[in-house]
Amino acid sequence: MTSPTPRRASRPPARGSAAPSIRDVAAAAGVSYQTVSRVLNDSPRVRPETRATVLDAIDRLGFRPSRAARALSLGRARAITVVTSNTVLYGYAATLQGIEEAARAAGLPVGIRVVESAEPAEVKQTVDHVSDASAGGVVVIAFDPMGVAVLEALPAHVPAVAAAEPGAPDQGRVAIKLDERRAAADATRHLLGLGHRTVHHVAVPCEGEGGGRFVGWRDALRAAGAPVPEVVSCGWDIASAYAAGRKLAADPDVTAILCGNDEISQGVRRALYDAGRDVPGDVSIVGFDDMPGSEFWTPALTTVRMDFAGLGRACFHAAVAELTGEEQPKPAVAAPSLVVRESTGRPPRH
């Protein structure tokens, strides 16, 4: 399921009264509303004693300016900028597609900023770019360390939301997530239920021990009392997945493999074929993402369907709400689900 991280709660206004405005704060502090705005925006053009008076009035009235109000006061454009480390891999590309579709329907322009590494200089350049008012609302695809680093470094006044991994630290932002942990556990339990003694895992590069796919796989094995094999890591390219598959194909005890995504499944499947091991007769394979065409592979791939396009649309609408100060909409994203096809079956009898 999707799990939007809520905004931090604001102090509620008194019953029967409207929420205090910036002009209410100005009246209580005996200053102009422009001075209150300068305090909220950390302007150096405010004397320390005036700043203290305004902050005291803010506290007494329970005034809590939203990021959106601050963003609008800084004149941010009605536009969306997406920060991502990749535009080609299926999960990233499909999320971008969902954002673009929703933006086109709303008549808003979309820009893309690629962050190439988590190095401080690269992150700073990216943050400076999206901090400019012309960037409008920001969607950070935080599937990897690069996106997370940008999210952590964003100034509070930038209206931003995240497409995030389950279990990612709360950055005080709206974060929309797909429950990969449960999906990976379901896939692992499916293989165990077919009679496999354990399930091996070929992980995507950015998947650490806190990643949803890793945690779901490991926890399902532990709950079943099954051995937890060492994770086999590989790069994003199919050649690297092929090398990982060759390693597993050489072990006759390997009868079930959960792959970090469908592209990895392609490389692993080819390695098993070249080693003379049949799928699913000798080894069962489960992929992740349900990329287009996976149902037409030979054999058709059992995989976890991920609604990346829906995630992108939900992030777009959340970013617009952050930008305009509207109420956050409920994310309309399908939960990940296991799609059972031909690449999984019972283990061979010895």
Side-chain angles (χ1 to χ4, degrees), residues 100-274:
E100 191 279 328
E101 288 174 349
R104 183 155 27 96
L108 293 185
V110 175
I112 298 175
R113 174 74 184 196
V114 175
V115 54
E116 297 182 349
S117 77
E119 292 297 319
E122 173 71 10
V123 171
K124 183 180 185 303
Q125 286 184 356
T126 301
V127 169
D128 289 346
H129 178 85
V130 298
S131 295
D132 188 272
S134 63
V138 179
V139 177
V140 180
I141 300 181
F143 294 163
D144 50 47
M146 291 80 85
V148 172
V150 171
L151 194 65
E152 291 175 342
L154 279 177
H157 70 267
V158 176
V161 303
E165 292 283 312
D170 179 14
Q171 303 294 340
R173 304 269 185 185
V174 173
I176 304 176
K177 309 171 185 180
L178 296 174
D179 193 352
E180 298 179 343
R181 182 178 303 181
R182 174 180 289 185
D186 287 345
T188 304
R189 285 192 290 265
H190 169 68
L191 290 166
L192 294 174
L194 291 172
H196 295 276
R197 187 178 71 90
T198 189
V199 178
H200 293 255
H201 182 39
V202 181
V204 294
C206 63
E207 185 180 1
E209 293 193 358
R213 303 180 189 197
F214 171 87
V215 173
W217 162 79
R218 181 200 61 196
D219 289 354
L221 291 177
R222 287 178 175 175
V228 181
E230 181 180 352
V231 173
V232 179
S233 298
C234 69
W236 289 117
D237 59 297
I238 293 181
S240 177
Y242 178 84
R246 292 284 289 183
K247 177 180 179 181
L248 291 172
D251 184 350
D253 291 332
V254 174
T255 64
I257 304 171
L258 173 63
C259 296
N261 63 26
D262 291 347
E263 290 99 329
I264 288 175
S265 297
Q266 286 183 308
V268 170
R269 168 72 183 93
R270 179 68 195 200
L272 292 167
Y273 174 83
D274 287 350

